[in-house]
Amino acid sequence: MDKSAYLNFEIISMVVVTAILLLDVLLIFKRPHVPSAKESTLWVVFYACLALIFALLLGINFGSVKSTEFIAGWLTEYSLSLDNLFVFVIIMSRFKVPKKLQQEVLMVGIVMALILRGIFILLGAALIENFSWIFYIFGAFLLYTAYHQAFRGHEDEEESESKLIQLLRKRVHVVDEFHGMKLRTTVDGKRALTPLLLVFIAIAVT
């Protein structure tokens, strides 16, 4: 396999994906609304088709092994994204995010998840490459996570998040009402934070 050709393919793919993501963000912020079930389904089908087209191009240019590896990774990440989405919905419901803001908040949450996941993947790969023994630590962490998911209830997670939010409210002045997509506002001549910032912090921590 030509490594330079594969690198160019990766770079072009990242540029295209970034452009699509930016276009999606601009579209949502320019035309905020609560999408219907039909519209949501069409978007899901659209992005699924893009992934399959990418897998096809990968297979044509670099063989079926690369294409199969991508499909396996994509399906894994897709299943994980459903869990992320469920958590985002719970957080927005808990903070009573207005419906007209939920689409923008969801998109910001997705972008934050992509950035943080990318950082952790690169950091984890670098650590494993330089310190092979750290793989056992990752394995132990996965076992702990499995135990956490199996035996720790949502009530415990909500309690941990509530403590974080309570600590932030004690440290900084946060108003009760949302002010659009603003993170800061002015009330009676004093600067204050809006609940939207707490929503983003909860999403990032989760």
Side-chain angles (χ1 to χ4, degrees):
M1 182 179 66
D2 189 344
K3 290 186 176 180
S4 62
Y6 186 70
L7 179 61
N8 290 334
F9 184 82
E10 283 190 327
I11 293 173
I12 294 172
S13 300
M14 289 302 298
V15 170
V16 172
V17 169
T18 303
I20 292 173
L21 182 60
L22 289 175
L23 184 62
D24 204 357
V25 171
L26 291 174
L27 182 63
I28 286 176
F29 278 89
K30 186 176 181 180
R31 192 172 60 90
H33 67 289
V34 179
S36 63
K38 180 180 179 181
E39 182 183 352
S40 299
T41 302
L42 288 175
W43 277 112
V44 170
V45 171
F46 170 73
Y47 280 113
C49 287
L50 284 184
L52 294 176
I53 290 171
F54 177 82
L56 179 63
L57 292 174
L58 199 59
I60 292 173
N61 289 281
F62 304 104
S64 60
V65 173
K66 286 291 182 183
S67 181
T68 304
E69 288 176 349
F70 168 76
I71 290 292
W74 174 65
L75 289 174
T76 302
E77 287 295 322
Y78 206 85
S79 62
L80 291 173
S81 70
L82 294 177
D83 180 63
N84 288 149
L85 182 60
F86 179 70
V87 171
F88 293 166
V89 170
I90 290 177
I91 290 174
M92 288 192 289
S93 175
R94 189 180 305 159
F95 283 95
K96 297 181 174 63
V97 178
K99 282 190 175 182
K100 63 181 181 180
L101 299 179
Q102 288 181 4
Q103 195 175 23
E104 293 100 311
V105 172
L106 179 60
M107 177 55 70
V108 172
I110 291 171
V111 172
M112 290 170 63
L114 287 172
I115 293 173
L116 290 173
R117 183 166 292 176
I119 291 173
F120 284 126
I121 288 174
L122 292 175
L123 180 61
L127 287 172
I128 290 174
E129 186 175 351
N130 291 280
F131 309 100
S132 59
W133 52 266
I134 208 168
F135 200 79
Y136 297 104
I137 296 178
F138 286 166
F141 179 72
L142 285 176
L143 290 175
Y144 165 76
T145 303
Y147 174 84
H148 182 278
Q149 293 292 330
F151 299 104
R152 192 180 184 195
H154 287 293
E155 294 79 8
D156 297 324
E157 295 179 0
E158 291 177 5
E159 183 180 352
S160 299
E161 290 176 13
S162 298
K163 288 180 179 179
L164 172 63
I165 300 304
Q166 288 172 8
L167 178 63
L168 289 171
R169 286 187 179 275
K170 287 180 181 179
R171 299 281 182 177
V172 295
H173 176 47
V174 182
V175 295
D176 294 327
E177 61 279 345
F178 287 83
H179 292 257
M181 289 298 291
K182 291 182 179 179
L183 301 180
R184 298 179 65 186
T185 187
T186 302
V187 179
D188 298 329
K190 295 181 179 179
R191 300 291 290 177
L193 300 176
T194 70
L196 189 63
L197 179 62
L198 300 183
V199 173
F200 289 150
I201 291 174
I203 288 176
V205 170
T206 302

